Amino acid sequence: MRILVLNGPNLNMLGIREKHIYGTQTYDDLTDEILDLCEKEQITVEVIQSNHEGELVDQIQQAYFNDTDAIVINPAAYTHTSVAILDALKAVNLPTVEVHLSDVSQREDFRQISYAGMACEKTIMGKGFAGYTEAILYLKAKYQK
């Protein structure tokens, strides 16, 4: 199984930004956890982070051509603003799980809309790094050939 884990803007600042929301673990810690899990589960994984909306769209589109089986996406701030990411996810039509480290349903009003989530079959929020583990294992159980 081949999974793309795609992370949006400011996630590279984990461990620095808003520690009361996101904790003290770093983006490298997150990447290491994902890589370790996928090695153990015999999943081919690519983990990408970008602060640029167009780069995220390009990566979603490329996943289709790379024979990727599924996507785990944390669009971060683009969750609430990006129709382009929604359209890219709809275009490739790959099984996708949306992940958020914090429980965005309990945050500011503007965070209550998820454009990307409209193309995802599941959303996991408020579980920190464990949300990525849950998403990957869900996709493996449901879609591994």
Side-chain angles (χ1 to χ4, degrees):
M1 173 164 220
R2 183 182 193 95
I3 295 178
L4 170 64
V5 177
L6 194 56
N7 291 296
N10 298 310
L11 288 169
N12 59 308
M13 299 298 286
L14 288 175
I16 298 169
R17 66 179 286 220
E18 299 173 286
K19 293 177 186 177
H20 64 287
I21 296 173
Y22 300 105
T24 58
Q25 289 183 289
T26 67
Y27 184 73
D28 287 340
D29 294 333
L30 174 61
T31 300
D32 289 345
E33 279 194 26
I34 293 167
L35 294 174
D36 289 347
L37 171 67
C38 289
E39 181 179 356
K40 176 183 166 208
E41 295 293 326
Q42 298 180 335
I43 297 169
T44 301
V45 67
E46 185 173 14
V47 182
I48 296 171
Q49 187 276 328
S50 180
N51 293 318
H52 305 282
E53 182 180 29
E55 175 64 18
L56 297 170
V57 169
D58 288 344
Q59 292 297 331
I60 293 165
Q61 292 176 359
Q62 192 58 48
Y64 177 85
F65 297 106
N66 289 349
D67 295 321
T68 299
D69 296 301
I71 298 172
V72 173
I73 187 167
N74 182 343
Y78 291 132
T79 301
H80 321 292
T81 64
S82 182
V83 174
I85 291 173
L86 166 62
D87 286 349
L89 290 169
K90 288 168 60 176
V92 301
N93 196 31
L94 293 170
T96 303
V97 175
E98 176 185 35
V99 173
H100 296 284
L101 296 167
S102 68
D103 183 352
V104 293
S105 72
Q106 300 301 311
R107 296 186 60 196
E108 302 93 339
D109 288 345
F110 70 87
R111 295 188 196 273
Q112 302 313 303
I113 295 174
S114 171
Y115 289 104
M118 295 174 190
C120 296
E121 64 183 68
K122 182 176 177 112
T123 298
I124 300 166
M125 63 177 82
K127 296 184 177 182
F129 289 6
Y132 287 84
T133 299
E134 183 178 328
I136 290 165
L137 294 177
Y138 166 84
L139 289 166
K140 179 185 179 191
K142 189 166 182 183
Y143 294 103
Q144 185 168 35
K145 299 171 188 167

